[in-house]
Amino acid sequence: MKFELAPLPYSKQALLPHLSEETLGFHYEKHHQTYLNNLKNLLQGKPEADASLEEIVKTSSGALFNNAAQVWNHDFYWKSMKPQGGGEPTGKLAQAIVRDFQSFAEFSAQFASAAIAHFGSGWAWLVSEKGSLKIVTTGNADTPLKQGLQCLLTCDVWEHAYYVDYRNLRAKYVEAFLKHLANWEFACAQFE
Ligand code: MN
């Protein structure tokens, strides 16, 4: 099986004090790894085993989709954060945010509202639809990749992403994500 867990782009202590080593350890080594293990088991002997992860996400359904999409979503989530992140994007993405949300502050408020209001497990995303920016949320494993949207940044709002550090306070976690963790260099690179 060619699918392996991509290394975390930073150490498990790198996002302190906003996300603990315990959270990153469990999230990456247990949750993300389990989705990958399930994916490999489901692909055993199947023709899809030779497809790329993106192709599997776009064409599969049921358990295969759920596990493939969660592997892809988590890869994208780790890249959506960095130590000393936050701040604001630059260049073309900064201009598009002002064009489509009036201001970066307004974008941040709308992204936080969407992430907090999403009921149950899922993801908040900044996506581009043919160059036009949108904030969307997806439930469980669902991903904008499936709908052909270009993903720019994501925040995991499953409880396993924040419960150790923030308990039930998803809003505090989303605030920390936007202020201290969001990797705008990564989002800008996706948009270029
Ligand atoms: Mn997760």
Coordinates of all heavy atoms in Angstrom, one line a residue, residues 34-89:
T34 N -5.6 6.3 12.4 CA -6.7 5.3 12.3 C -7.5 5.5 11.0 O -7.8 4.5 10.4 CB -7.7 5.5 13.5 OG1 -6.9 5.2 14.7 CG2 -8.8 4.5 13.4
Y35 N -7.7 6.7 10.6 CA -8.3 6.9 9.2 C -7.5 6.3 8.1 O -8.0 5.6 7.2 CB -8.6 8.4 8.9 CG -9.5 9.1 9.9 CD1 -9.2 10.2 10.6 CD2 -10.8 8.6 10.1 CE1 -10.1 10.9 11.4 CE2 -11.7 9.2 10.9 CZ -11.3 10.4 11.6 OH -12.2 11.0 12.4
L36 N -6.2 6.5 8.2 CA -5.3 5.9 7.2 C -5.2 4.4 7.3 O -5.3 3.7 6.3 CB -3.8 6.4 7.4 CG -2.9 5.9 6.4 CD1 -3.0 6.7 5.1 CD2 -1.4 5.9 6.8
N37 N -5.2 3.8 8.5 CA -5.2 2.4 8.6 C -6.5 1.8 8.1 O -6.5 0.8 7.4 CB -5.1 2.0 10.1 CG -3.7 2.3 10.7 OD1 -2.8 2.7 10.0 ND2 -3.6 2.3 12.0
N38 N -7.6 2.4 8.4 CA -8.9 2.0 7.8 C -8.9 2.1 6.3 O -9.4 1.1 5.6 CB -10.1 2.9 8.4 CG -10.3 2.7 9.8 OD1 -9.9 1.7 10.4 ND2 -11.0 3.6 10.4
L39 N -8.4 3.2 5.8 CA -8.3 3.3 4.3 C -7.5 2.2 3.7 O -8.0 1.6 2.7 CB -7.7 4.7 4.0 CG -7.4 5.0 2.5 CD1 -8.7 5.0 1.7 CD2 -6.6 6.3 2.3
K40 N -6.4 1.9 4.3 CA -5.5 0.8 3.7 C -6.2 -0.5 3.7 O -6.2 -1.3 2.8 CB -4.2 0.8 4.5 CG -3.3 2.0 4.1 CD -2.2 2.1 5.1 CE -0.9 1.5 4.6 NZ 0.3 1.9 5.4
N41 N -6.9 -0.8 4.8 CA -7.7 -2.0 4.9 C -8.8 -2.1 3.9 O -9.0 -3.1 3.3 CB -8.3 -2.2 6.4 CG -7.2 -2.5 7.4 OD1 -6.1 -3.0 7.0 ND2 -7.4 -2.1 8.6
L42 N -9.5 -1.0 3.7 CA -10.6 -1.0 2.8 C -10.1 -1.1 1.3 O -10.9 -1.6 0.5 CB -11.4 0.3 2.9 CG -12.3 0.4 4.2 CD1 -12.6 1.9 4.5 CD2 -13.5 -0.4 4.1
L43 N -8.9 -0.7 1.1 CA -8.4 -0.7 -0.3 C -7.7 -2.0 -0.7 O -7.4 -2.3 -1.9 CB -7.3 0.4 -0.5 CG -7.9 1.8 -0.6 CD1 -6.8 2.8 -0.6 CD2 -8.7 2.0 -1.9
Q44 N -7.5 -2.9 0.3 CA -6.8 -4.2 0.0 C -7.5 -4.9 -1.1 O -8.7 -5.2 -1.0 CB -6.9 -5.1 1.3 CG -6.1 -4.5 2.4 CD -4.9 -5.4 2.8 OE1 -4.7 -6.5 2.2 NE2 -4.1 -5.0 3.7
G45 N -6.8 -5.2 -2.2 CA -7.3 -6.0 -3.3 C -8.3 -5.3 -4.1 O -8.9 -5.9 -5.0
K46 N -8.5 -4.0 -3.9 CA -9.5 -3.2 -4.7 C -8.8 -2.5 -5.9 O -7.7 -2.0 -5.7 CB -10.2 -2.1 -3.8 CG -11.0 -2.7 -2.7 CD -12.5 -2.8 -3.1 CE -13.4 -3.4 -2.0 NZ -13.4 -2.6 -0.7
P47 N -9.5 -2.3 -7.0 CA -8.8 -1.5 -8.1 C -8.5 -0.1 -7.7 O -7.5 0.5 -8.2 CB -9.9 -1.6 -9.2 CG -11.2 -2.0 -8.6 CD -10.8 -2.8 -7.3
E48 N -9.3 0.5 -6.8 CA -9.0 1.9 -6.4 C -7.6 2.0 -5.7 O -7.2 3.1 -5.5 CB -10.1 2.4 -5.4 CG -11.5 2.4 -6.0 CD -12.3 1.2 -5.6 OE1 -11.7 0.1 -5.8 OE2 -13.4 1.4 -5.2
A49 N -7.0 0.9 -5.3 CA -5.8 1.0 -4.5 C -4.7 1.7 -5.3 O -3.7 2.2 -4.7 CB -5.3 -0.4 -4.1
D50 N -4.8 1.7 -6.6 CA -3.8 2.4 -7.4 C -4.1 3.8 -7.7 O -3.3 4.5 -8.3 CB -3.6 1.6 -8.8 CG -3.0 0.2 -8.6 OD1 -2.2 0.1 -7.6 OD2 -3.4 -0.7 -9.3
A51 N -5.3 4.3 -7.3 CA -5.7 5.7 -7.6 C -5.0 6.6 -6.6 O -4.5 6.2 -5.5 CB -7.2 5.8 -7.5
S52 N -5.0 7.9 -6.9 CA -4.5 8.9 -5.9 C -5.5 9.1 -4.9 O -6.7 8.8 -5.0 CB -4.1 10.2 -6.6 OG -5.3 10.8 -7.0
L53 N -5.0 9.6 -3.7 CA -6.0 9.9 -2.6 C -7.1 10.9 -3.1 O -8.2 10.7 -2.8 CB -5.2 10.5 -1.4 CG -6.0 10.8 -0.2 CD1 -6.7 9.6 0.4 CD2 -5.1 11.5 0.9
E54 N -6.7 11.9 -3.9 CA -7.7 12.9 -4.4 C -8.8 12.2 -5.2 O -9.9 12.5 -5.1 CB -7.0 14.0 -5.2 CG -6.3 15.0 -4.3 CD -4.9 14.5 -3.9 OE1 -4.5 13.4 -4.3 OE2 -4.3 15.2 -3.1
E55 N -8.3 11.3 -6.1 CA -9.2 10.5 -7.0 C -10.2 9.7 -6.2 O -11.4 9.6 -6.5 CB -8.5 9.7 -8.0 CG -7.8 10.4 -9.1 CD -6.9 9.6 -9.9 OE1 -6.4 8.5 -9.5 OE2 -6.5 10.0 -11.0
I56 N -9.7 9.0 -5.1 CA -10.5 8.2 -4.3 C -11.6 9.1 -3.6 O -12.8 8.8 -3.6 CB -9.7 7.4 -3.3 CG1 -8.8 6.4 -4.0 CG2 -10.6 6.7 -2.3 CD1 -7.8 5.7 -3.1
V57 N -11.1 10.2 -3.0 CA -12.1 11.1 -2.4 C -13.2 11.6 -3.3 O -14.4 11.6 -3.0 CB -11.3 12.4 -1.8 CG1 -12.3 13.4 -1.3 CG2 -10.4 12.0 -0.6
K58 N -12.8 11.9 -4.6 CA -13.7 12.4 -5.5 C -14.7 11.4 -6.1 O -15.8 11.7 -6.5 CB -13.0 13.1 -6.7 CG -12.4 14.4 -6.4 CD -11.6 15.0 -7.5 CE -10.9 16.3 -7.2 NZ -10.0 16.8 -8.2
T59 N -14.3 10.1 -6.0 CA -15.1 9.1 -6.7 C -15.8 8.1 -5.8 O -16.6 7.3 -6.2 CB -14.3 8.3 -7.7 OG1 -13.2 7.7 -7.0 CG2 -13.8 9.2 -8.8
S60 N -15.4 8.1 -4.5 CA -15.9 7.0 -3.6 C -17.1 7.4 -2.8 O -17.5 8.6 -2.8 CB -14.7 6.6 -2.7 OG -14.4 7.6 -1.8
S61 N -17.6 6.5 -2.1 CA -18.7 6.8 -1.1 C -18.6 5.9 0.1 O -17.7 5.0 0.1 CB -20.1 6.6 -1.8 OG -20.2 5.2 -2.3
G62 N -19.5 6.0 1.0 CA -19.5 5.2 2.2 C -18.2 5.2 3.0 O -17.6 6.2 3.1
A63 N -17.9 4.0 3.6 CA -16.7 4.0 4.5 C -15.4 4.4 3.7 O -14.5 5.0 4.3 CB -16.6 2.6 5.1
L64 N -15.3 4.0 2.5 CA -14.1 4.3 1.7 C -13.9 5.8 1.6 O -12.9 6.4 1.9 CB -14.1 3.6 0.4 CG -12.8 3.8 -0.5 CD1 -11.6 3.3 0.2 CD2 -13.0 3.1 -1.9
F65 N -15.0 6.5 1.3 CA -15.0 7.9 1.2 C -14.7 8.5 2.6 O -13.8 9.4 2.7 CB -16.3 8.5 0.7 CG -16.4 10.0 0.8 CD1 -15.7 10.8 0.0 CD2 -17.1 10.6 1.9 CE1 -15.7 12.2 0.1 CE2 -17.1 12.0 2.1 CZ -16.4 12.8 1.2
N66 N -15.4 8.1 3.6 CA -15.2 8.7 4.9 C -13.7 8.7 5.4 O -13.2 9.6 5.9 CB -16.1 8.0 6.0 CG -17.5 8.4 5.8 OD1 -17.9 9.4 5.3 ND2 -18.4 7.5 6.3
N67 N -13.1 7.5 5.2 CA -11.7 7.4 5.6 C -10.7 8.1 4.7 O -9.8 8.8 5.2 CB -11.4 5.9 5.8 CG -12.0 5.4 7.1 OD1 -11.6 5.7 8.2 ND2 -13.1 4.6 6.9
A68 N -10.9 8.0 3.4 CA -10.1 8.7 2.4 C -10.2 10.2 2.7 O -9.2 10.9 2.7 CB -10.4 8.4 1.0
A69 N -11.4 10.7 2.8 CA -11.6 12.2 3.0 C -11.0 12.6 4.3 O -10.4 13.7 4.3 CB -13.1 12.5 2.9
Q70 N -11.1 11.8 5.3 CA -10.5 12.3 6.6 C -9.0 12.2 6.6 O -8.4 13.1 7.2 CB -11.0 11.4 7.8 CG -12.5 11.7 8.2 CD -12.5 13.1 8.8 OE1 -12.5 14.1 8.1 NE2 -12.7 13.2 10.1
V71 N -8.4 11.3 5.8 CA -6.9 11.4 5.6 C -6.6 12.7 4.9 O -5.7 13.4 5.3 CB -6.4 10.2 4.8 CG1 -4.9 10.4 4.5 CG2 -6.6 8.9 5.6
W72 N -7.3 13.0 3.8 CA -7.0 14.2 3.1 C -7.3 15.5 3.9 O -6.5 16.4 3.9 CB -7.8 14.2 1.8 CG -7.4 15.3 0.8 CD1 -6.4 15.1 -0.1 CD2 -7.8 16.6 0.7 NE1 -6.2 16.3 -0.8 CE2 -7.0 17.3 -0.3 CE3 -8.8 17.4 1.4 CZ2 -7.2 18.6 -0.6 CZ3 -8.9 18.7 1.1 CH2 -8.2 19.3 0.1
N73 N -8.4 15.5 4.5 CA -8.8 16.7 5.3 C -7.8 17.0 6.4 O -7.4 18.1 6.6 CB -10.2 16.5 6.0 CG -11.3 16.5 5.0 OD1 -11.2 17.0 3.9 ND2 -12.5 16.0 5.5
H74 N -7.3 15.9 7.1 CA -6.3 16.2 8.2 C -4.9 16.6 7.6 O -4.3 17.5 8.2 CB -6.2 14.9 9.0 CG -7.3 14.8 10.0 ND1 -8.5 14.1 9.7 CD2 -7.5 15.3 11.3 CE1 -9.3 14.2 10.8 NE2 -8.7 14.9 11.7
D75 N -4.5 16.0 6.5 CA -3.3 16.5 5.8 C -3.4 18.0 5.6 O -2.5 18.8 5.8 CB -3.1 15.9 4.5 CG -2.4 14.5 4.6 OD1 -1.8 14.2 5.6 OD2 -2.5 13.7 3.6
F76 N -4.6 18.4 5.1 CA -4.8 19.8 4.8 C -4.9 20.7 6.0 O -4.4 21.8 6.1 CB -6.1 20.0 3.9 CG -6.2 21.2 3.1 CD1 -5.6 21.3 1.9 CD2 -6.7 22.4 3.6 CE1 -5.6 22.4 1.1 CE2 -6.8 23.5 2.9 CZ -6.2 23.6 1.6
Y77 N -5.5 20.2 7.1 CA -5.6 20.9 8.4 C -4.2 21.1 9.0 O -3.9 22.2 9.4 CB -6.5 20.1 9.3 CG -6.5 20.5 10.7 CD1 -7.1 21.8 11.1 CD2 -6.1 19.7 11.8 CE1 -7.1 22.2 12.4 CE2 -6.2 20.1 13.1 CZ -6.7 21.3 13.4 OH -6.8 21.7 14.7
W78 N -3.3 20.1 9.0 CA -2.0 20.3 9.6 C -1.3 21.5 8.8 O -0.6 22.3 9.4 CB -1.1 19.1 9.5 CG -1.8 17.9 10.2 CD1 -1.9 16.6 9.7 CD2 -2.3 17.8 11.6 NE1 -2.5 15.8 10.6 CE2 -2.8 16.5 11.8 CE3 -2.4 18.8 12.6 CZ2 -3.4 16.1 13.0 CZ3 -3.1 18.4 13.8 CH2 -3.5 17.1 14.0
K79 N -1.5 21.5 7.5 CA -0.8 22.6 6.7 C -1.5 23.9 6.9 O -0.9 24.9 6.6 CB -0.8 22.2 5.3 CG 0.1 21.0 4.9 CD -0.1 20.6 3.5 CE 0.4 19.3 3.1 NZ -0.1 18.8 1.8
S80 N -2.7 23.9 7.4 CA -3.5 25.1 7.6 C -3.0 25.9 8.8 O -3.6 27.0 9.1 CB -5.0 24.9 7.6 OG -5.4 24.4 6.4
M81 N -2.2 25.2 9.6 CA -1.7 25.9 10.9 C -0.2 25.9 10.8 O 0.5 25.2 10.1 CB -2.1 25.0 12.1 CG -3.6 24.9 12.2 SD -4.1 24.2 13.8 CE -3.6 22.5 13.5
K82 N 0.4 26.8 11.6 CA 1.8 26.9 11.8 C 2.1 27.6 13.1 O 1.3 28.3 13.7 CB 2.5 27.6 10.7 CG 2.2 29.1 10.6 CD 3.1 29.8 9.6 CE 2.9 31.3 9.7 NZ 3.7 32.1 8.8
P83 N 3.3 27.3 13.7 CA 3.7 28.1 14.9 C 3.8 29.5 14.6 O 4.2 29.9 13.5 CB 5.1 27.5 15.3 CG 5.2 26.2 14.5 CD 4.4 26.4 13.3
Q84 N 3.3 30.4 15.5 CA 3.3 31.8 15.3 C 2.5 32.2 14.0 O 2.9 33.0 13.2 CB 4.7 32.4 15.2 CG 5.4 32.6 16.5 CD 6.2 31.4 16.9 OE1 7.0 30.8 16.1 NE2 6.0 30.9 18.2
G85 N 1.4 31.5 13.9 CA 0.5 31.8 12.7 C -0.4 32.9 13.1 O -0.1 33.7 13.9
G86 N -1.5 32.9 12.4 CA -2.5 34.1 12.5 C -2.1 35.2 11.6 O -1.5 35.0 10.6
G87 N -2.4 36.4 12.1 CA -2.1 37.6 11.2 C -3.0 37.6 10.0 O -4.2 37.1 10.1
E88 N -2.5 38.1 8.9 CA -3.4 38.3 7.7 C -2.7 37.8 6.5 O -1.4 37.8 6.4 CB -3.8 39.7 7.5 CG -4.6 40.3 8.7 CD -5.1 41.7 8.4 OE1 -5.1 42.1 7.2 OE2 -5.5 42.4 9.3
P89 N -3.4 37.4 5.5 CA -2.8 37.0 4.2 C -2.3 38.2 3.5 O -2.5 39.4 3.9 CB -3.9 36.3 3.4 CG -5.2 37.0 4.0 CD -4.9 37.2 5.4

